[in-house]
Amino acid sequence: MGPRSMLMLTVDDARGASTRYRVLAHRPALHAAGITSALRLPLTVDAAPLTRPAWRALDLLRDVAGTRGDADVLFVHRKTYPPLFAARLRRKNQPVVYDLDDAIDLPPPDRPQDPATLARYRANFEATLRAADLVLAGNRDLAERAGHASVEILPTPIDTERFAPGKTTPARGPVLGWVGHSSNLGYLESLAEPLRAVARRHPGLRLVVVADRPPRLDGVDVEFRRWSLENELSCFDGIAVGLMPLDDTPWARAKCAFKAIQYMALGIPAVASPVGMNREVIVDGESGFLPATPAAWVEALDALLRDPDLARRIAAAGRATVERDYALPVVSRRLIELLNALPARRV
């Protein structure tokens, strides 16, 4: 008999995309399968008006001090714990499931990259892995980075009833789109010259950018839309082609291709760098495009904007891929199977 209850420790609240898609989205299916789930959201700065390191330490201490209880499984989402804290997770009698969808063993590119910081990130990551009975990795690269004895790939799911063709307004004219956080705008800004070249071929071209700040893209007509949870779906309105450029770095290779999956679910052709999971989600020239050079970016975008039949074929194939491999019911079913296969409670 599988677990009947689970305590979920999340790295963020519902405003965080990872928590929203990899944790909260599964709760209805878990409940339908007879698994109740209690959430412990992180402390906020307002709740603990301390320095950021002290706030983080208090939040992690609350986690390890408060995991005793009746839950059959402890589910840790993206958090990493220093070795002394992580060892406390193992003391409890629940099996520990550790869920990750980013290279959380590395500091983000906008954080210090000195040897001490790199060592601290890796040490906390490895300590948390040692506490886990099962690791759920968002893609193959993350699974290999974890190197855990019990690791399974569980992609980030999407609600294909909510994110579906016809749920956003159609494009009128040549409109490209990019949706993401400002920390990733550098990837988009690296496309400045190809975007200018496409604009010369398609007068009136617009680039819709949905983020927390606009990009720096001279010579490109940018329509900036500020992201909010309330406009999460409508921010894709009017986009003819979705972009997901990446640099080929360890950090970027660990990304879970979710921007591409969102475009494809909505029936928007996706053009993405051939980096990491993008190569698994998209079959180049069939369900999207994977341009590897600036010239290839220009040709792919030009072809999709110039040929409506090609765009429709690519969009249909992309949508079919998402329905088969990344739809919420498909991924939730796999999660429940993995939870049911966990060992019994430790004593």
Side-chain angles (χ1 to χ4, degrees):
M1 182 176 178
R4 311 323 302 164
S5 61
M6 185 157 56
L7 175 61
M8 309 177 93
L9 309 180
T10 65
V11 75
D12 208 342
D13 59 20
R15 290 169 295 181
S18 181
T19 297
R20 198 163 61 253
Y21 284 101
R22 290 189 66 86
V23 180
L24 302 182
H26 288 302
R27 295 185 79 200
L30 291 171
H31 181 77
I35 304 173
T36 62
S37 58
L39 287 176
R40 179 172 296 152
L41 300 176
L43 290 174
T44 64
V45 175
D46 291 338
L50 306 167
T51 63
R52 186 164 295 278
W55 162 78
R56 171 173 160 78
L58 182 62
D59 182 60
L60 299 185
L61 182 61
R62 184 191 64 150
D63 283 354
V64 300
T67 52
R68 298 185 189 278
D70 297 328
D72 296 321
V73 174
L74 180 64
F75 185 99
V76 180
H77 170 63
R78 281 180 60 106
K79 285 189 168 184
T80 60
Y81 298 81
L84 289 177
F85 285 58
R88 293 286 301 274
L89 294 175
R90 269 309 273 195
R91 289 184 189 175
K92 317 310 177 188
N93 62 355
Q94 305 107 326
V96 177
V97 176
Y98 188 33
D99 180 65
L100 62 148
D101 64 345
D102 241 332
I104 53 179
D105 60 319
L106 296 173
D110 59 349
R111 302 281 176 84
Q113 303 290 317
D114 58 278
T117 300
L118 290 167
R120 175 168 54 84
Y121 269 77
R122 186 69 201 182
N124 291 353
F125 179 64
E126 290 180 347
T128 309
L129 285 173
R130 287 194 295 272
D133 295 274
L134 171 66
V135 174
L136 303 178
N139 59 47
R140 184 177 294 115
D141 182 88
L142 290 170
E144 292 173 355
R145 294 174 76 87
H148 194 272
S150 180
V151 60
E152 297 285 346
I153 296 173
L154 191 78
T156 303
I158 192 163
D159 183 346
T160 50
E161 293 186 5
R162 181 167 177 251
F163 280 76
K167 295 291 187 176
T168 58
T169 59
R172 296 185 181 278
V175 182
L176 308 177
W178 183 92
V179 180
H181 190 268
S182 61
S183 60
N184 294 316
L185 279 174
Y187 301 130
L188 178 65
E189 291 165 352
S190 70
L191 281 185
E193 186 49 46
L195 291 173
R196 286 191 286 265
V198 175
R200 289 191 290 271
R201 298 188 186 190
H202 296 269
L205 178 90
R206 282 186 298 124
L207 172 65
V208 171
V209 174
V210 184
D212 49 302
R213 70 164 176 83
R216 302 177 182 89
L217 282 169
D218 294 338
V220 180
D221 182 8
V222 173
E223 177 188 332
F224 174 65
R225 302 175 185 172
R226 189 168 295 278
W227 185 92
S228 71
L229 187 56
E230 293 72 28
N231 76 347
E232 183 182 29
L233 190 58
S234 63
C235 72
F236 293 90
D237 282 349
I239 294 175
V241 180
L243 311 180
M244 189 178 174
L246 291 174
D247 295 338
D248 192 4
T249 64
W251 177 266
R253 286 194 293 273
K255 288 188 172 295
C256 287
F258 196 63
K259 264 197 281 288
I261 290 170
Q262 287 181 309
Y263 301 141
M264 294 159 73
L266 290 166
I268 298 171
V271 183
S273 298
V275 172
M277 188 176 171
N278 288 353
R279 294 175 298 175
E280 301 171 30
V281 174
I282 294 174
V283 177
D284 190 30
E286 295 183 18
S287 55
F289 285 100
L290 296 170
T293 65
W297 272 93
V298 174
E299 294 308 314
L301 296 176
D302 177 56
L304 287 168
L305 293 174
R306 192 177 300 280
D307 187 343
D309 289 336
L310 172 65
R312 280 191 289 269
R313 290 196 302 273
I314 293 290
R319 170 69 186 186
T321 297
V322 171
E323 289 177 337
R324 183 188 68 227
D325 296 332
Y326 306 105
L328 179 58
V330 173
V331 183
S332 289
R333 187 161 52 247
R334 178 57 178 156
L335 172 61
I336 292 165
E337 290 172 354
L338 293 170
L339 292 174
N340 285 334
L342 280 170
R345 289 164 64 97
R346 295 192 300 270
V347 295

mmCIF file of all heavy atoms in Angstrom, residues 285-302:
data_model
loop_
_atom_site.group_PDB
_atom_site.id
_atom_site.type_symbol
_atom_site.label_atom_id
_atom_site.label_comp_id
_atom_site.label_asym_id
_atom_site.label_seq_id
_atom_site.Cartn_x
_atom_site.Cartn_y
_atom_site.Cartn_z
ATOM 1 N N GLY A 285 12.704 20.998 -37.081
ATOM 2 C CA GLY A 285 12.027 21.012 -38.367
ATOM 3 C C GLY A 285 10.700 20.277 -38.381
ATOM 4 O O GLY A 285 9.985 20.319 -39.384
ATOM 5 N N GLU A 286 10.347 19.598 -37.269
ATOM 6 C CA GLU A 286 9.080 18.873 -37.198
ATOM 7 C C GLU A 286 8.136 19.445 -36.146
ATOM 8 O O GLU A 286 6.994 19.772 -36.447
ATOM 9 C CB GLU A 286 9.335 17.394 -36.906
ATOM 10 C CG GLU A 286 10.073 16.663 -38.016
ATOM 11 C CD GLU A 286 10.240 15.183 -37.713
ATOM 12 O OE1 GLU A 286 9.514 14.670 -36.834
ATOM 13 O OE2 GLU A 286 11.101 14.549 -38.344
ATOM 14 N N SER A 287 8.613 19.565 -34.909
ATOM 15 C CA SER A 287 7.759 20.108 -33.846
ATOM 16 C C SER A 287 8.268 21.448 -33.349
ATOM 17 O O SER A 287 7.781 21.984 -32.354
ATOM 18 C CB SER A 287 7.683 19.118 -32.678
ATOM 19 O OG SER A 287 8.982 18.783 -32.219
ATOM 20 N N GLY A 288 9.236 22.014 -34.036
ATOM 21 C CA GLY A 288 9.830 23.302 -33.703
ATOM 22 C C GLY A 288 11.142 23.429 -34.441
ATOM 23 O O GLY A 288 11.456 22.610 -35.321
ATOM 24 N N PHE A 289 11.917 24.442 -34.106
ATOM 25 C CA PHE A 289 13.228 24.619 -34.720
ATOM 26 C C PHE A 289 14.281 24.798 -33.642
ATOM 27 O O PHE A 289 14.018 25.391 -32.585
ATOM 28 C CB PHE A 289 13.236 25.820 -35.662
ATOM 29 C CG PHE A 289 12.528 25.575 -36.967
ATOM 30 C CD1 PHE A 289 11.234 26.027 -37.165
ATOM 31 C CD2 PHE A 289 13.142 24.857 -37.980
ATOM 32 C CE1 PHE A 289 10.565 25.788 -38.360
ATOM 33 C CE2 PHE A 289 12.491 24.603 -39.189
ATOM 34 C CZ PHE A 289 11.200 25.074 -39.374
ATOM 35 N N LEU A 290 15.494 24.284 -33.928
ATOM 36 C CA LEU A 290 16.621 24.341 -32.999
ATOM 37 C C LEU A 290 17.828 24.977 -33.692
ATOM 38 O O LEU A 290 18.826 24.315 -33.978
ATOM 39 C CB LEU A 290 16.979 22.935 -32.505
ATOM 40 C CG LEU A 290 15.916 22.204 -31.675
ATOM 41 C CD1 LEU A 290 16.317 20.745 -31.469
ATOM 42 C CD2 LEU A 290 15.704 22.897 -30.336
ATOM 43 N N PRO A 291 17.767 26.262 -33.994
ATOM 44 C CA PRO A 291 18.879 26.903 -34.710
ATOM 45 C C PRO A 291 20.122 27.013 -33.840
ATOM 46 O O PRO A 291 20.059 27.415 -32.681
ATOM 47 C CB PRO A 291 18.320 28.293 -35.046
ATOM 48 C CG PRO A 291 17.269 28.537 -34.002
ATOM 49 C CD PRO A 291 16.675 27.210 -33.700
ATOM 50 N N ALA A 292 21.270 26.668 -34.414
ATOM 51 C CA ALA A 292 22.533 26.653 -33.666
ATOM 52 C C ALA A 292 23.421 27.851 -33.974
ATOM 53 O O ALA A 292 24.429 28.045 -33.290
ATOM 54 C CB ALA A 292 23.300 25.363 -33.960
ATOM 55 N N THR A 293 23.079 28.653 -34.987
ATOM 56 C CA THR A 293 23.897 29.796 -35.363
ATOM 57 C C THR A 293 22.997 31.011 -35.578
ATOM 58 O O THR A 293 21.783 30.863 -35.788
ATOM 59 C CB THR A 293 24.657 29.527 -36.671
ATOM 60 O OG1 THR A 293 23.703 29.385 -37.745
ATOM 61 C CG2 THR A 293 25.505 28.260 -36.569
ATOM 62 N N PRO A 294 23.549 32.219 -35.539
ATOM 63 C CA PRO A 294 22.727 33.397 -35.812
ATOM 64 C C PRO A 294 22.009 33.312 -37.157
ATOM 65 O O PRO A 294 20.831 33.671 -37.268
ATOM 66 C CB PRO A 294 23.739 34.545 -35.776
ATOM 67 C CG PRO A 294 24.807 34.064 -34.843
ATOM 68 C CD PRO A 294 24.920 32.594 -35.098
ATOM 69 N N ALA A 295 22.708 32.825 -38.181
ATOM 70 C CA ALA A 295 22.072 32.717 -39.499
ATOM 71 C C ALA A 295 20.908 31.731 -39.465
ATOM 72 O O ALA A 295 19.864 31.958 -40.096
ATOM 73 C CB ALA A 295 23.103 32.281 -40.538
ATOM 74 N N ALA A 296 21.060 30.640 -38.732
ATOM 75 C CA ALA A 296 19.982 29.655 -38.634
ATOM 76 C C ALA A 296 18.781 30.219 -37.889
ATOM 77 O O ALA A 296 17.626 29.893 -38.206
ATOM 78 C CB ALA A 296 20.492 28.394 -37.941
ATOM 79 N N TRP A 297 19.019 31.079 -36.889
ATOM 80 C CA TRP A 297 17.905 31.752 -36.213
ATOM 81 C C TRP A 297 17.125 32.613 -37.209
ATOM 82 O O TRP A 297 15.893 32.591 -37.237
ATOM 83 C CB TRP A 297 18.422 32.615 -35.063
ATOM 84 C CG TRP A 297 18.554 31.889 -33.770
ATOM 85 C CD1 TRP A 297 19.671 31.269 -33.277
ATOM 86 C CD2 TRP A 297 17.530 31.690 -32.791
ATOM 87 N NE1 TRP A 297 19.403 30.695 -32.053
ATOM 88 C CE2 TRP A 297 18.098 30.944 -31.721
ATOM 89 C CE3 TRP A 297 16.186 32.077 -32.702
ATOM 90 C CZ2 TRP A 297 17.363 30.574 -30.596
ATOM 91 C CZ3 TRP A 297 15.458 31.708 -31.574
ATOM 92 C CH2 TRP A 297 16.033 30.964 -30.541
ATOM 93 N N VAL A 298 17.845 33.364 -38.032
ATOM 94 C CA VAL A 298 17.172 34.218 -39.013
ATOM 95 C C VAL A 298 16.332 33.382 -39.964
ATOM 96 O O VAL A 298 15.170 33.686 -40.235
ATOM 97 C CB VAL A 298 18.205 35.061 -39.794
ATOM 98 C CG1 VAL A 298 17.515 35.836 -40.922
ATOM 99 C CG2 VAL A 298 18.932 36.018 -38.851
ATOM 100 N N GLU A 299 16.900 32.289 -40.469
ATOM 101 C CA GLU A 299 16.178 31.461 -41.438
ATOM 102 C C GLU A 299 14.962 30.799 -40.818
ATOM 103 O O GLU A 299 13.896 30.726 -41.447
ATOM 104 C CB GLU A 299 17.125 30.404 -42.028
ATOM 105 C CG GLU A 299 18.243 30.979 -42.881
ATOM 106 C CD GLU A 299 17.733 31.919 -43.963
ATOM 107 O OE1 GLU A 299 16.744 31.557 -44.648
ATOM 108 O OE2 GLU A 299 18.314 33.009 -44.125
ATOM 109 N N ALA A 300 15.077 30.306 -39.592
ATOM 110 C CA ALA A 300 13.937 29.647 -38.942
ATOM 111 C C ALA A 300 12.798 30.635 -38.694
ATOM 112 O O ALA A 300 11.627 30.346 -38.982
ATOM 113 C CB ALA A 300 14.382 29.009 -37.631
ATOM 114 N N LEU A 301 13.129 31.799 -38.149
ATOM 115 C CA LEU A 301 12.084 32.789 -37.861
ATOM 116 C C LEU A 301 11.464 33.313 -39.155
ATOM 117 O O LEU A 301 10.233 33.476 -39.249
ATOM 118 C CB LEU A 301 12.674 33.938 -37.044
ATOM 119 C CG LEU A 301 13.185 33.551 -35.648
ATOM 120 C CD1 LEU A 301 13.836 34.749 -34.965
ATOM 121 C CD2 LEU A 301 12.055 33.007 -34.786
ATOM 122 N N ASP A 302 12.302 33.562 -40.164
ATOM 123 C CA ASP A 302 11.787 34.034 -41.452
ATOM 124 C C ASP A 302 10.833 33.014 -42.056
ATOM 125 O O ASP A 302 9.756 33.365 -42.551
ATOM 126 C CB ASP A 302 12.962 34.297 -42.393
ATOM 127 C CG ASP A 302 12.509 34.712 -43.781
ATOM 128 O OD1 ASP A 302 11.749 35.695 -43.893
ATOM 129 O OD2 ASP A 302 12.895 34.028 -44.753
#
